[in-house]
Coordinates of all heavy atoms in Angstrom, one line a residue:
M10 N 3.1 -12.2 7.9 CA 2.6 -11.6 9.1 C 2.4 -10.2 9.0 O 3.0 -9.6 8.1 CB 3.7 -11.9 10.2 CG 3.2 -11.3 11.6 SD 4.4 -11.7 12.9 CE 5.5 -10.2 12.7
F11 N 1.4 -9.7 9.6 CA 1.1 -8.2 9.6 C 0.6 -7.7 10.9 O 0.1 -8.5 11.7 CB 0.2 -7.9 8.4 CG -1.2 -8.4 8.6 CD1 -2.2 -7.9 9.2 CD2 -1.4 -9.7 8.1 CE1 -3.5 -8.4 9.4 CE2 -2.7 -10.3 8.1 CZ -3.7 -9.6 8.8
S12 N 0.7 -6.4 11.1 CA 0.2 -5.8 12.3 C -0.6 -4.6 11.9 O -0.4 -4.0 10.8 CB 1.3 -5.3 13.2 OG 2.1 -4.2 12.7
I13 N -1.6 -4.2 12.7 CA -2.5 -3.0 12.4 C -2.4 -2.1 13.7 O -2.6 -2.7 14.8 CB -3.9 -3.5 12.1 CG1 -3.9 -4.4 11.0 CG2 -4.7 -2.2 11.9 CD1 -5.3 -5.1 10.8
E14 N -2.1 -0.9 13.5 CA -2.1 0.1 14.6 C -3.0 1.2 14.1 O -3.0 1.7 13.0 CB -0.8 0.6 14.9 CG 0.3 -0.5 15.3 CD 1.6 0.1 15.4 OE1 1.8 1.1 16.0 OE2 2.6 -0.6 14.8
H15 N -3.7 1.8 15.1 CA -4.6 3.0 14.9 C -4.0 4.2 15.6 O -4.0 4.2 16.8 CB -6.0 2.7 15.4 CG -6.7 1.6 14.6 ND1 -7.0 1.8 13.3 CD2 -7.0 0.4 14.9 CE1 -7.6 0.6 12.9 NE2 -7.6 -0.2 13.9
D16 N -3.4 5.0 14.8 CA -2.8 6.2 15.3 C -3.9 7.4 15.3 O -5.0 7.2 14.8 CB -1.6 6.7 14.6 CG -0.4 5.7 14.7 OD1 -0.4 4.9 15.7 OD2 0.5 5.8 13.9
F17 N -3.5 8.6 15.8 CA -4.5 9.7 15.8 C -5.0 10.0 14.5 O -6.2 10.2 14.3 CB -3.8 10.9 16.5 CG -4.6 12.1 16.4 CD1 -5.7 12.3 17.2 CD2 -4.3 13.2 15.5 CE1 -6.5 13.5 17.1 CE2 -5.0 14.3 15.4 CZ -6.1 14.5 16.3
D18 N -4.2 10.2 13.4 CA -4.6 10.6 12.1 C -4.4 9.5 11.1 O -4.7 9.8 9.9 CB -3.8 11.9 11.7 CG -2.3 11.6 11.6 OD1 -1.8 10.5 12.2 OD2 -1.6 12.5 11.1
A19 N -4.0 8.3 11.4 CA -3.8 7.3 10.3 C -4.0 5.9 10.9 O -3.8 5.7 12.1 CB -2.4 7.4 9.8
T20 N -4.2 5.0 10.0 CA -4.2 3.5 10.4 C -2.9 3.0 9.7 O -2.7 3.3 8.5 CB -5.4 2.7 9.8 OG1 -6.6 3.2 10.4 CG2 -5.2 1.2 10.0
V21 N -2.1 2.3 10.4 CA -0.8 1.9 10.0 C -0.8 0.4 10.0 O -1.0 -0.3 11.0 CB 0.4 2.5 10.9 CG1 1.7 1.9 10.4 CG2 0.3 4.0 10.9
I22 N -0.5 -0.2 8.8 CA -0.4 -1.7 8.6 C 1.0 -2.0 8.3 O 1.6 -1.3 7.3 CB -1.3 -2.1 7.5 CG1 -2.8 -1.8 7.8 CG2 -1.2 -3.7 7.3 CD1 -3.8 -2.0 6.8
T23 N 1.6 -2.9 8.9 CA 3.0 -3.3 8.6 C 3.0 -4.7 8.2 O 2.4 -5.7 8.8 CB 3.9 -3.2 9.8 OG1 3.9 -1.8 10.3 CG2 5.3 -3.6 9.5
L24 N 3.5 -5.0 7.0 CA 3.6 -6.4 6.3 C 5.0 -6.8 6.6 O 6.0 -6.2 6.1 CB 3.2 -6.3 4.8 CG 1.9 -5.6 4.5 CD1 1.7 -5.6 3.0 CD2 0.7 -6.4 5.2
V25 N 5.1 -8.1 7.1 CA 6.4 -8.7 7.3 C 6.6 -9.8 6.4 O 5.7 -10.8 6.4 CB 6.7 -9.0 8.8 CG1 8.0 -9.7 9.0 CG2 6.5 -7.8 9.7
D26 N 7.6 -9.9 5.5 CA 7.8 -11.1 4.6 C 8.3 -12.3 5.4 O 9.3 -12.2 6.1 CB 8.9 -10.7 3.6 CG 9.0 -11.6 2.4 OD1 8.2 -12.7 2.5 OD2 9.8 -11.5 1.5
E27 N 7.5 -13.4 5.3 CA 7.8 -14.6 6.0 C 8.0 -15.7 5.0 O 8.0 -16.9 5.4 CB 6.7 -15.0 7.1 CG 6.6 -14.1 8.2 CD 5.6 -14.5 9.2 OE1 4.5 -14.8 8.8 OE2 6.0 -14.7 10.4
G28 N 8.1 -15.4 3.8 CA 8.3 -16.4 2.7 C 9.6 -16.9 2.7 O 10.5 -16.7 3.5
P29 N 10.0 -17.7 1.7 CA 11.2 -18.2 1.5 C 12.3 -17.1 1.2 O 12.0 -16.1 0.7 CB 11.2 -19.2 0.3 CG 9.9 -18.9 -0.4 CD 9.1 -18.1 0.6
A30 N 13.6 -17.4 1.6 CA 14.7 -16.4 1.3 C 14.9 -16.2 -0.2 O 14.6 -17.2 -0.9 CB 15.9 -16.9 2.0
P31 N 15.2 -15.2 -0.7 CA 15.5 -13.9 0.1 C 14.3 -13.2 0.4 O 13.4 -13.0 -0.3 CB 16.4 -13.1 -0.9 CG 15.9 -13.5 -2.3 CD 15.4 -15.0 -2.1
L32 N 14.3 -12.7 1.7 CA 13.2 -12.0 2.2 C 13.3 -10.5 1.8 O 14.4 -10.0 1.7 CB 13.1 -12.1 3.8 CG 12.9 -13.5 4.3 CD1 12.9 -13.5 5.8 CD2 11.6 -14.1 3.8
Q33 N 12.1 -9.9 1.6 CA 12.0 -8.5 1.4 C 11.8 -7.7 2.7 O 11.5 -8.2 3.7 CB 10.8 -8.2 0.4 CG 10.8 -8.9 -0.9 CD 12.0 -8.4 -1.8 OE1 12.2 -7.2 -1.9 NE2 12.8 -9.3 -2.3
E34 N 12.2 -6.4 2.6 CA 12.1 -5.5 3.7 C 10.5 -5.4 4.1 O 9.7 -5.6 3.3 CB 12.7 -4.2 3.4 CG 14.2 -4.2 3.2 CD 15.0 -4.5 4.4 OE1 14.6 -4.2 5.5 OE2 16.1 -5.0 4.2
D35 N 10.4 -5.0 5.3 CA 9.0 -4.8 5.8 C 8.3 -3.7 4.9 O 9.0 -2.7 4.5 CB 8.8 -4.3 7.2 CG 9.3 -5.4 8.2 OD1 9.6 -6.5 7.7 OD2 9.3 -5.1 9.4
V36 N 7.0 -3.7 4.7 CA 6.3 -2.8 4.0 C 5.3 -2.1 5.0 O 4.6 -2.8 5.8 CB 5.4 -3.3 2.8 CG1 4.6 -2.3 2.2 CG2 6.4 -4.0 1.8
V37 N 5.3 -0.7 5.1 CA 4.4 0.0 6.0 C 3.5 0.7 5.2 O 3.9 1.6 4.3 CB 5.3 0.9 6.9 CG1 4.3 1.7 7.8 CG2 6.3 0.1 7.6
I38 N 2.2 0.5 5.4 CA 1.1 1.2 4.7 C 0.4 2.1 5.7 O -0.2 1.6 6.7 CB 0.1 0.2 4.1 CG1 0.9 -0.8 3.2 CG2 -1.0 0.8 3.3 CD1 0.1 -2.1 2.9
S39 N 0.4 3.4 5.4 CA -0.2 4.4 6.3 C -1.4 4.9 5.6 O -1.3 5.6 4.5 CB 0.8 5.5 6.7 OG 1.9 5.0 7.3
G40 N -2.6 4.7 6.2 CA -3.9 5.1 5.6 C -4.3 6.4 6.2 O -4.6 6.4 7.4
F41 N -4.4 7.5 5.4 CA -4.9 8.8 6.0 C -6.3 9.0 5.3 O -6.7 8.2 4.4 CB -3.9 9.9 5.6 CG -2.6 9.7 6.1 CD1 -1.5 9.1 5.5 CD2 -2.3 10.2 7.5 CE1 -0.3 8.9 6.0 CE2 -1.1 9.9 8.1 CZ -0.1 9.4 7.3
E42 N -7.0 10.0 5.7 CA -8.3 10.3 5.1 C -8.1 10.7 3.7 O -9.0 10.2 2.8 CB -8.9 11.5 5.8 CG -10.3 11.8 5.4 CD -10.9 12.9 6.3 OE1 -10.5 13.1 7.5 OE2 -11.8 13.6 5.7
E43 N -7.1 11.3 3.2 CA -7.0 11.7 1.8 C -6.1 10.9 0.9 O -6.0 11.2 -0.3 CB -6.6 13.2 1.7 CG -5.2 13.5 2.2 CD -5.0 13.5 3.7 OE1 -5.9 13.4 4.5 OE2 -3.7 13.6 4.1
C44 N -5.2 10.0 1.5 CA -4.3 9.3 0.7 C -3.7 8.1 1.5 O -4.0 7.9 2.7 CB -3.0 10.2 0.3 SG -2.1 10.7 1.7
I45 N -2.9 7.3 0.8 CA -2.3 6.1 1.3 C -0.8 6.2 1.0 O -0.5 6.4 -0.1 CB -2.9 4.8 0.7 CG1 -4.4 4.7 0.9 CG2 -2.2 3.5 1.2 CD1 -4.8 4.5 2.3
N46 N 0.1 6.0 2.0 CA 1.5 6.0 1.8 C 2.0 4.5 2.0 O 1.6 3.9 2.9 CB 2.3 6.9 2.8 CG 2.0 8.4 2.5 OD1 1.7 8.8 1.4 ND2 2.3 9.2 3.5
V47 N 2.7 4.1 1.0 CA 3.3 2.8 1.0 C 4.8 3.0 1.1 O 5.4 3.6 0.2 CB 3.0 1.9 -0.2 CG1 3.6 0.5 -0.1 CG2 1.5 1.8 -0.4
T48 N 5.5 2.6 2.2 CA 6.8 2.8 2.5 C 7.6 1.5 2.7 O 7.1 0.6 3.3 CB 7.1 3.7 3.7 OG1 6.3 4.9 3.5 CG2 8.5 4.0 4.0
Q49 N 8.8 1.4 2.1 CA 9.7 0.2 2.2 C 11.1 0.7 2.1 O 11.5 1.5 1.4 CB 9.4 -0.8 1.1 CG 10.2 -2.1 1.3 CD 9.8 -3.1 0.3 OE1 9.6 -2.8 -0.9 NE2 9.7 -4.4 0.7
F50 N 12.0 0.1 3.0 CA 13.4 0.4 3.0 C 14.1 -0.2 1.7 O 13.8 -1.4 1.4 CB 14.0 -0.1 4.3 CG 15.5 0.2 4.3 CD1 16.0 1.5 4.7 CD2 16.4 -0.8 4.0 CE1 17.3 1.7 4.7 CE2 17.8 -0.5 4.1 CZ 18.3 0.8 4.4
D51 N 14.9 0.6 1.0 CA 15.6 0.0 -0.2 C 17.0 0.0 0.2 O 17.7 0.9 0.4 CB 15.3 1.1 -1.4 CG 16.1 0.6 -2.6 OD1 16.9 -0.4 -2.5 OD2 15.8 1.2 -3.7
P52 N 17.6 -1.3 0.4 CA 18.9 -1.5 0.9 C 20.0 -0.9 -0.2 O 21.0 -0.6 0.1 CB 19.1 -3.0 1.1 CG 17.9 -3.6 0.5 CD 16.9 -2.6 0.3
R53 N 19.6 -1.0 -1.5 CA 20.5 -0.5 -2.5 C 20.7 1.0 -2.3 O 21.8 1.5 -2.6 CB 20.0 -0.8 -3.9 CG 19.9 -2.3 -4.2 CD 19.1 -2.6 -5.4 NE 17.8 -2.1 -5.2 CZ 16.7 -2.2 -6.1 NH1 16.9 -2.7 -7.2 NH2 15.5 -1.7 -5.7
R54 N 19.7 1.8 -2.0 CA 19.9 3.2 -1.8 C 20.2 3.5 -0.3 O 20.4 4.7 0.0 CB 18.6 3.9 -2.1 CG 18.1 3.8 -3.6 CD 16.9 4.5 -3.9 NE 16.5 4.3 -5.3 CZ 15.4 4.8 -5.8 NH1 14.7 5.6 -5.1 NH2 15.2 4.6 -7.1
N55 N 20.0 2.6 0.6 CA 20.1 2.8 2.0 C 19.2 3.9 2.5 O 19.6 4.8 3.3 CB 21.6 3.1 2.4 CG 21.8 2.9 3.9 OD1 21.2 2.1 4.5 ND2 22.7 3.7 4.5
A56 N 18.0 3.8 2.0 CA 17.0 4.8 2.3 C 15.5 4.3 2.2 O 15.3 3.3 1.4 CB 17.0 6.1 1.4
E57 N 14.6 4.8 2.9 CA 13.2 4.5 2.6 C 12.6 5.1 1.4 O 13.0 6.2 1.1 CB 12.3 4.9 3.9 CG 12.6 4.1 5.1 CD 11.6 4.4 6.2 OE1 10.9 5.5 6.2 OE2 11.4 3.6 7.1
V58 N 11.8 4.3 0.7 CA 11.1 4.8 -0.5 C 9.6 4.8 -0.2 O 9.1 3.9 0.3 CB 11.5 3.9 -1.7 CG1 10.7 4.4 -3.0 CG2 12.9 3.9 -1.9
T59 N 9.0 5.9 -0.5 CA 7.6 6.0 -0.3 C 6.8 6.4 -1.6 O 7.2 7.1 -2.4 CB 7.3 7.2 0.7 OG1 7.9 6.9 2.0 CG2 5.8 7.4 1.0
V60 N 5.7 5.7 -1.7 CA 4.8 6.0 -2.8 C 3.5 6.4 -2.2 O 2.9 5.7 -1.3 CB 4.6 4.7 -3.7 CG1 3.5 4.9 -4.8 CG2 5.9 4.2 -4.3
T61 N 2.9 7.5 -2.8 CA 1.6 8.0 -2.3 C 0.6 7.8 -3.3 O 0.7 8.0 -4.5 CB 1.8 9.5 -1.9 OG1 2.8 9.7 -1.0 CG2 0.4 10.1 -1.4
L62 N -0.5 7.2 -2.9 CA -1.7 6.9 -3.7 C -2.9 7.7 -3.2 O -3.1 7.8 -2.0 CB -2.1 5.4 -3.7 CG -1.0 4.4 -4.1 CD1 -1.6 2.9 -3.8 CD2 -0.7 4.5 -5.6
S63 N -3.6 8.2 -4.2 CA -4.9 8.8 -3.8 C -5.9 7.7 -3.4 O -5.7 6.6 -3.7 CB -5.5 9.7 -4.9 OG -5.9 8.9 -6.0
I64 N -7.0 8.1 -2.8 CA -8.0 7.1 -2.4 C -8.6 6.4 -3.7 O -8.8 5.3 -3.8 CB -9.1 7.7 -1.6 CG1 -8.5 8.2 -0.2 CG2 -10.2 6.6 -1.3 CD1 -7.7 7.2 0.6
T65 N -8.7 7.3 -4.8 CA -9.2 6.8 -6.1 C -8.2 5.8 -6.6 O -8.6 4.7 -7.1 CB -9.4 7.9 -7.1 OG1 -10.4 8.8 -6.5 CG2 -9.9 7.5 -8.4
Q66 N -6.9 6.0 -6.6 CA -5.9 5.1 -7.1 C -5.9 3.8 -6.3 O -5.9 2.7 -6.8 CB -4.5 5.7 -7.0 CG -4.3 6.7 -8.0 CD -3.0 7.5 -7.8 OE1 -2.6 7.9 -6.7 NE2 -2.2 7.6 -8.9
L67 N -6.1 3.9 -5.0 CA -6.2 2.7 -4.1 C -7.4 1.9 -4.5 O -7.3 0.7 -4.7 CB -6.3 3.1 -2.6 CG -6.5 1.9 -1.7 CD1 -5.3 1.0 -1.7 CD2 -6.8 2.4 -0.3
N68 N -8.6 2.6 -4.7 CA -9.7 1.8 -5.1 C -9.5 1.1 -6.5 O -10.0 0.0 -6.7 CB -11.0 2.7 -5.1 CG -11.4 3.0 -3.7 OD1 -11.2 2.3 -2.8 ND2 -12.0 4.2 -3.5
D69 N -8.9 1.8 -7.4 CA -8.5 1.2 -8.7 C -7.7 0.0 -8.6 O -7.8 -1.0 -9.2 CB -7.9 2.2 -9.7 CG -8.8 3.3 -10.1 OD1 -10.0 3.1 -10.0 OD2 -8.4 4.3 -10.7
L70 N -6.7 0.1 -7.7 CA -5.7 -1.0 -7.4 C -6.5 -2.3 -6.9 O -6.3 -3.4 -7.4 CB -4.6 -0.6 -6.4 CG -3.7 -1.7 -6.0 CD1 -2.9 -2.3 -7.2 CD2 -2.7 -1.2 -4.9
I71 N -7.4 -2.0 -5.9 CA -8.2 -3.1 -5.4 C -9.1 -3.8 -6.4 O -9.0 -5.0 -6.6 CB -9.0 -2.5 -4.2 CG1 -8.2 -2.1 -3.0 CG2 -10.1 -3.6 -3.8 CD1 -8.9 -1.3 -2.0
A72 N -9.7 -3.0 -7.3 CA -10.5 -3.5 -8.4 C -9.6 -4.3 -9.4 O -10.0 -5.3 -9.8 CB -11.3 -2.4 -9.1
A73 N -8.5 -3.7 -9.7 CA -7.6 -4.3 -10.7 C -7.0 -5.8 -10.3 O -6.8 -6.6 -11.1 CB -6.4 -3.5 -11.0
L74 N -7.0 -6.0 -9.0 CA -6.4 -7.3 -8.5 C -7.4 -8.4 -8.9 O -7.0 -9.6 -8.9 CB -6.2 -7.2 -7.0 CG -5.1 -6.3 -6.6 CD1 -5.1 -6.2 -5.1 CD2 -3.7 -6.8 -7.1
E75 N -8.7 -8.1 -9.2 CA -9.6 -9.1 -9.5 C -10.0 -9.2 -11.0 O -10.9 -9.9 -11.4 CB -10.9 -8.8 -8.7 CG -10.7 -8.9 -7.2 CD -10.2 -10.3 -6.7 OE1 -10.7 -11.3 -7.3 OE2 -9.4 -10.3 -5.8
L76 N -9.3 -8.4 -11.8 CA -9.8 -8.2 -13.2 C -8.8 -8.8 -14.1 O -7.6 -8.9 -13.8 CB -10.0 -6.8 -13.6 CG -11.2 -6.1 -13.0 CD1 -11.2 -4.6 -13.2 CD2 -12.5 -6.7 -13.4
P77 N -9.2 -9.4 -15.4 CA -8.2 -9.8 -16.3 C -7.5 -8.7 -17.0 O -7.8 -7.5 -16.8 CB -9.1 -10.6 -17.3 CG -10.4 -9.9 -17.3 CD -10.6 -9.5 -15.8
E78 N -6.5 -8.9 -17.7 CA -5.7 -8.0 -18.5 C -6.6 -7.1 -19.3 O -7.6 -7.6 -19.9 CB -4.8 -8.7 -19.4 CG -3.8 -7.9 -20.1 CD -2.7 -8.7 -20.9 OE1 -2.6 -9.9 -20.7 OE2 -2.1 -8.1 -21.8
G79 N -6.3 -5.8 -19.4 CA -7.1 -4.8 -20.2 C -7.0 -3.4 -19.6 O -6.2 -3.2 -18.7
V80 N -7.7 -2.6 -20.2 CA -7.8 -1.1 -19.8 C -9.2 -0.8 -19.3 O -10.2 -1.2 -20.0 CB -7.5 -0.2 -21.0 CG1 -7.5 1.3 -20.6 CG2 -6.0 -0.4 -21.5
Y81 N -9.3 -0.3 -18.2 CA -10.6 -0.1 -17.5 C -10.8 1.4 -17.0 O -9.8 2.1 -16.7 CB -10.7 -1.0 -16.3 CG -10.7 -2.5 -16.7 CD1 -9.4 -3.1 -16.7 CD2 -11.8 -3.1 -16.9 CE1 -9.4 -4.5 -17.0 CE2 -11.7 -4.5 -17.3 CZ -10.4 -5.1 -17.4 OH -10.4 -6.5 -17.6
T82 N -12.0 1.8 -16.9 CA -12.4 3.0 -16.3 C -13.5 2.7 -15.2 O -14.4 2.0 -15.5 CB -13.0 4.0 -17.3 OG1 -12.0 4.3 -18.3 CG2 -13.5 5.3 -16.6
R83 N -13.3 3.2 -14.1 CA -14.3 2.9 -13.0 C -15.2 4.1 -12.8 O -14.8 5.2 -12.9 CB -13.6 2.6 -11.6 CG -12.9 1.3 -11.7 CD -12.3 0.9 -10.3 NE -12.2 1.9 -9.4 CZ -13.0 2.0 -8.3 NH1 -13.9 1.2 -8.1 NH2 -12.7 3.0 -7.3
R84 N -16.5 3.9 -12.6 CA -17.4 4.9 -12.4 C -17.5 5.2 -10.9 O -17.5 4.4 -10.0 CB -18.9 4.5 -12.8 CG -19.0 4.4 -14.3 CD -20.4 4.3 -14.7 NE -20.5 4.2 -16.1 CZ -21.1 3.1 -16.8 NH1 -21.5 2.1 -16.1 NH2 -21.1 3.1 -18.1
P85 N -17.5 6.5 -10.5 CA -17.6 6.9 -9.1 C -18.9 6.3 -8.5 O -19.9 6.3 -9.1 CB -17.6 8.4 -9.1 CG -17.3 8.9 -10.4 CD -17.5 7.6 -11.4
R86 N -18.8 6.0 -7.2 CA -20.1 5.6 -6.5 C -21.0 6.7 -6.3 O -20.5 7.8 -6.0 CB -19.7 4.9 -5.2 CG -18.9 3.6 -5.4 CD -18.7 3.0 -3.9 NE -18.0 1.7 -4.2 CZ -17.6 0.9 -3.1 NH1 -17.8 1.4 -1.9 NH2 -17.1 -0.2 -3.3
S87 N -22.2 6.4 -6.4 CA -23.3 7.4 -6.2 C -23.6 7.5 -4.8 O -23.7 6.6 -4.0 CB -24.6 7.1 -7.0 OG -24.3 6.8 -8.3

């Protein structure tokens, strides 16, 4: 399950794990104009952990999900 919220400066997507146990903590993806933050609570650290991706890294990740194993370089869109 997921939700989408549009805030003033970001789009926030929350992913809720509904698969078989053990379930993972919710993942919150905040999309800003210049970057994407992916945040998840880590129960081992008892703290939230955030990874920040540039828009280029996000586009590379999207492309990588559809490609076979290998090393790739993407050309910028014209």
Side-chain angles (χ1 to χ4, degrees):
M10 179 178 87
F11 61 91
S12 68
I13 302 170
E14 300 173 48
H15 298 289
D16 292 340
F17 173 72
D18 62 344
T20 296
V21 179
I22 300 169
T23 302
L24 307 175
V25 178
D26 191 359
E27 293 185 304
L32 298 177
Q33 298 296 314
E34 298 290 334
D35 294 356
V36 175
V37 178
I38 304 163
S39 301
F41 301 94
E42 187 174 331
E43 69 282 352
C44 67
I45 303 294
N46 289 339
V47 180
T48 304
Q49 185 177 41
F50 181 77
D51 182 348
R53 294 170 296 183
R54 295 181 184 180
N55 197 32
E57 287 189 339
V58 177
T59 300
V60 175
T61 301
L62 302 174
S63 70
I64 300 303
T65 300
Q66 289 174 312
L67 175 64
N68 288 330
D69 288 347
L70 174 60
I71 292 167
L74 293 172
E75 300 297 325
L76 294 169
E78 187 175 343
V80 177
Y81 299 90
T82 300
R83 292 183 345 104
R84 292 192 178 116
R86 291 185 177 177
S87 309

